[in-house]
Amino acid sequence: MKRFMAVVLVLVCVFLFAAQSASAQGKLEIFSWWAGDEGPALQALIDRYSTLYPTIGVVNSTVTGGSGVNARAVLKTRMLGGDPPDSFQVHAGQELIGTWVVAKRMEDLAPLFKSEGWTAKFPAGLVALLSSKGGIWSVPVNIHRSNVLWYLPAKLKEWGVTAPKTWDEFLSTCAALRAKGLQSPLVVGESWTYQHLWESVALGVLGPDDWSALWSGKLKFNDPKAVKVWETFGKVLSYANADASGLSWQQATDRLVKGDAAFNIMGDWAAGYMVTTLKLKPNADFGWAASPGTAGVFMMLSDSFGIPLGVKNHDAAVKWIKLLASKEGQDIFNPLKGSIAARLDSDMTKYNAYSQSAAKDWQSGKIVGSLVHGAVAPESFNSQFGTVMDIFLNGMNAKAAANAAQAIADQVGLGK
Ligand code: GAL
């Protein structure tokens, strides 16, 4: 009996100790769409955080779906329901400024930028993209490039073609490949990847100045120049796979890697996937070029993290933001992610051949912002752009799509 009592006593003590240390532990919930195959870079950052702050338990909440298509909806429900995560992923630019900043739901991080000296550590243009109404609303963890054409050098050699430099050349190369029996030389995935392809076509057809003029409202979507974008887009799509809607962006990349398609246009998270997950070597196993007609132009986007007002674990969230803003944090995350550091002082020896070439283009190229990944247009335009795409895909009518885009631009007051 005595022995039994002693065992009970020990168990009670263990329980009380565990309960006490659990309550003494901190917690941090971060929210993003970097799930599964997209997760390794984020996980490396979380691992570093856990080493630095072993008593803080990190809850890594992810909602699968490339470019945040599903995560944004879940985030909205949580923000409006008064249950914000401690820190969430959001694209630098209008995606945050036009939503949660306008709704006064975000903490102004300008004081942190000042006390930590971050303003001088990031490019001025990027800080401007994160700023509005005198505040700075999130911290950038990377720079991704949207306008990249991916291919396998060995397959192109086998097929006797080279990476096309213009959209006209792209069309003639695809025609040649089809004549050789490759039915769908271009691989596309689910809905948002169509929009991703569209922004590369638009940049190539319009050039950087007219692309930017669309977002400042100076060039109308129904201007003949912009109608031509849809016409070219339609021709490009005629070389794409018929089962696109069933493929995630990773599955589209897999098709390329297997040699079932010659080209894919995707942001450079595809490099992260090919190197980190598929263990392929840049320049040897896969190759890349600026998407047709966009050499010398870098269509950028940046993933950032902000802190909503009233979060449960504010101190832990600030520690998180500080880690991802640090040189160390950025150089842990980006070599795995396929992006380059947003900071100006990152250690490029840690990056592979693809990222080094992207960094060079980032420094020397003309910079424009991505539509699909939140940089140039307000969410009110972005969220309706899918409808414009549907209108186009249903009738392949360039003018109808262009008019629909202009109607939305007018409705949301684009550029005003
Ligand atoms: C982008 C995001 C990238 C990557 C990609 C695919 O919007 O900025 O980091 O996650 O979507 O999901």
Side-chain angles (χ1 to χ4, degrees), residues 33-34 38 65-68 72 89 91 142 144 192 249 266 269 301-303 337 372-373:
W33 60 85
W34 290 327
E38 289 219 65
S67 85
R72 269 190 290 280
Q89 176 196 2
H91 289 122
N142 66 2
H144 265 307
W192 71 268
W249 68 263
M266 190 37 63
W269 42 93
L301 59 120
S302 169
D303 294 299
K337 185 65 172 63
V372 184
H373 307 281

Side-chain angles (χ1 to χ4, degrees), residues 100-123:
W100 304 117
V101 173
V102 171
K104 299 195 169 55
R105 302 273 182 151
M106 299 303 291
E107 176 173 338
D108 179 5
L109 302 177
L112 256 185
F113 270 76
K114 204 164 165 219
S115 61
E116 300 294 314
W118 290 339
T119 317
K121 298 292 181 196
F122 296 105

Side-chain angles (χ1 to χ4, degrees), residues 369-384:
S370 156
L371 164 68
V372 184
H373 307 281
V376 290
E379 188 67 9
S380 48
F381 181 90
N382 239 1
S383 56
Q384 297 187 73

